[in-house]
Amino acid sequence: MVNTLIEKTTQGWAPTHAKLAEMVLNESGTVPLSQRYRALFSLKNLNDDAAVEIISQSLGVKSDSELFKHEVAYCLGQMGNKVAIPALVAAMGEVSYHAMVRHEAAESLGALSDVSVIPELEKYVDDACKPLAETCVIALEKIRYDHSAEAQLADPRPKDAVYASVDPAPATTSTKSVAQLRDILCDAEVGLWKRYRAMFALRDIGTEEAVLALCEGMETDRTSALFRHEIGFIFGEMQHPASVPALARILANDQEEAMVRHEAAEALGSVATPEVNDILAKFINDPEPIVRDSCLVALDMFEHETSGEFQYAIIPETETVELAKVEA
C-alpha cells in the first residue's frame, strides 16, 4: 500500500504527503497510535485532494484500529472536500466496522452536506445499529437545513468564532437561557435534532452554568449513546475544568458504551487540568480496546496541551524537510 503511495510521488505528489501517508497507513505496524493521530491532523491541515485520497485510503483498511478509523472519518467530514464521499459511503455501509466508525462516516456525510448523499443516508435511518440510524436522521436534518430558507436567513458564523468545527447541528437561536436550553437538552421526549441544537447553544454560551447543564445531560440521559458521546466531544472543544468530575465518572463506568467512554477520555486529555494525567493513567490497560487506545491518545493530547506546542500535528517546514523521528 505504501509502495503505491510512494509511486504516486512521481506523478506530482509532494514528498511530505508520502511521508505522512507512511505514518497514517502504518503498513509496517510500528507507528505508535499517537503519532498516527498527529500525522492524520497534519494531512487534515494540508487539506488538498492528495491528503483526502490518503486519508480515504486509510478509512478502507479493515484490519486497522477502530478508534483510528473513526478519527479518519471525522477528519474527512471536517475537510469539506467532496472527493471523500465514496469512502465515507462505503464505511457507513461496512457492517464489520464498529458502530462508532459507521456513525462518524454518516456524520461526516452530513458535514459535507451534498444532497447527492441523501439516498445513501436514508438507507440506514431504521438500521439495527442505533448510533448509525440516529446519526443518519440527524445528518439528513442537517443537509435539509443547510439548503433551506431558514439557513439562508440565519446569521453567519462570525469569522472570529471560538469553534471552527463543522457541527452536526446548528446551535439553536430561539433562546439564550441556560435553564431553558437545559430543559430541552435533558428531555428525552424531544427529538435528537432539537436536543443537539440546544447542546451546541450551551457550548457557545460557554459559562460554568452551561457546562454543568451539559454534564447533567450527559450523565442522566439513558436513551442515546450517540447523544452522550456528542456532549463528550463538546467538552473536549470547551476545555472547561468544570466538566472534569463528570468526565472522570463516565470514563470509570465500565457499564457505559465504549463510544461514550472514548469521548470522555479524549475530552479529559483536551481539558488537561493537573489531575487529568492520573485519571487517564488508570485506564491505559482497560479491557475495552477503544477505551484503552483513547486513554493513550488522550495522554498524548494532555502532553500537547501542557507543553506549549503550537498545534496538535506534525508540521513540516518545507516540502522536503524530514519529519520528526517516530519513537516506538
Side-chain angles (χ1 to χ4, degrees):
M1 186 178 299
V2 173
N3 287 340
T4 302
L5 291 166
I6 292 172
E7 287 171 7
K8 287 191 176 183
T9 63
T10 64
Q11 302 172 18
W13 275 22
T16 296
H17 287 79
K19 291 177 181 180
L20 291 171
E22 289 183 30
M23 298 178 73
V24 166
L25 293 166
N26 189 28
E27 189 177 59
S28 68
T30 62
V31 184
L33 187 60
S34 60
Q35 290 294 312
R36 296 182 72 197
Y37 260 64
R38 291 189 180 225
L40 172 62
F41 278 89
S42 297
L43 286 168
K44 176 177 175 285
N45 290 342
L46 290 172
N47 200 4
D48 53 23
D49 286 356
V52 171
E53 184 177 345
I54 294 165
I55 297 173
S56 296
Q57 187 168 340
S58 179
L59 186 57
V61 180
K62 294 185 179 181
S63 61
D64 207 350
S65 156
E66 298 289 347
L67 179 67
F68 189 71
K69 284 203 294 282
H70 129 280
E71 200 68 36
V72 163
Y74 168 75
C75 286
L76 288 174
Q78 295 297 303
M79 291 167 80
N81 190 326
K82 294 177 183 179
V83 170
I85 287 176
L88 290 169
V89 168
M92 178 174 64
E94 180 50 68
V95 295
S96 68
Y97 282 1
H98 192 280
M100 189 169 71
V101 180
R102 299 180 73 195
H103 131 75
E104 203 67 59
E107 185 170 287
S108 287
L109 289 169
L112 293 175
S113 202
D114 190 301
V115 295
S116 69
V117 305
I118 288 176
E120 296 297 335
L121 291 165
E122 288 177 336
K123 292 178 183 178
Y124 301 100
V125 293
D126 295 313
D127 199 86
C129 176
K130 187 177 178 182
L132 172 62
E134 290 178 335
T135 303
C136 288
V137 170
I138 293 170
L140 286 165
E141 290 274 15
K142 180 182 181 298
I143 293 171
R144 290 167 182 148
Y145 171 85
D146 288 344
H147 295 272
S148 70
E150 180 186 356
Q152 304 309 312
L153 294 172
D155 291 335
R157 177 180 287 190
K159 291 182 179 179
D160 60 349
V162 175
Y163 307 107
S165 56
V166 180
D167 300 326
T172 186
T173 56
S174 60
T175 178
K176 298 294 184 182
S177 163
V178 170
Q180 290 177 338
L181 291 168
R182 174 256 167 225
D183 288 345
I184 296 169
L185 183 83
C186 296
D187 187 348
E189 299 301 315
V190 174
L192 275 179
W193 173 252
K194 190 172 181 180
R195 294 175 79 192
Y196 262 52
R197 295 195 68 179
M199 184 192 304
F200 284 99
L202 287 166
R203 178 201 66 181
D204 291 351
I205 291 169
T207 61
E208 183 170 340
E209 181 187 12
V211 170
L212 294 177
L214 288 164
C215 289
E216 183 177 351
M218 191 176 189
E219 290 201 274
T220 62
D221 177 79
R222 290 295 175 266
T223 63
S224 172
L226 181 74
F227 173 82
R228 298 193 299 277
H229 116 289
E230 194 66 33
I231 295 178
F233 175 81
I234 282 176
F235 282 148
E237 289 188 301
M238 296 177 78
Q239 298 181 297
H240 198 295
S243 65
V244 168
L247 290 170
R249 289 191 293 270
I250 290 161
L251 176 58
N253 180 7
D254 60 7
Q255 300 304 303
E256 179 57 277
E257 296 287 344
M259 67 186 296
V260 183
R261 294 180 69 203
H262 138 73
E263 288 292 1
E266 292 199 4
L268 286 166
S270 292
V271 176
T273 51
E275 70 272 28
V276 161
N277 190 77
D278 290 341
I279 294 170
L280 292 169
K282 294 177 183 178
F283 300 98
I284 57 173
N285 294 311
D286 195 272
E288 170 52 60
I290 289 172
V291 174
R292 182 170 65 243
D293 288 349
S294 294
C295 288
L296 292 172
V297 170
L299 286 167
D300 186 58
M301 293 166 65
F302 175 90
E303 182 179 344
H304 158 70
E305 292 292 343
T306 56
S307 69
E309 290 177 325
F310 176 63
Q311 57 182 313
Y312 185 74
I314 298 168
I315 305 297
E317 293 179 3
T318 71
E319 290 296 304
T320 57
V321 72
E322 291 293 324
L323 298 176
K325 290 182 179 179
V326 177
E327 296 181 359

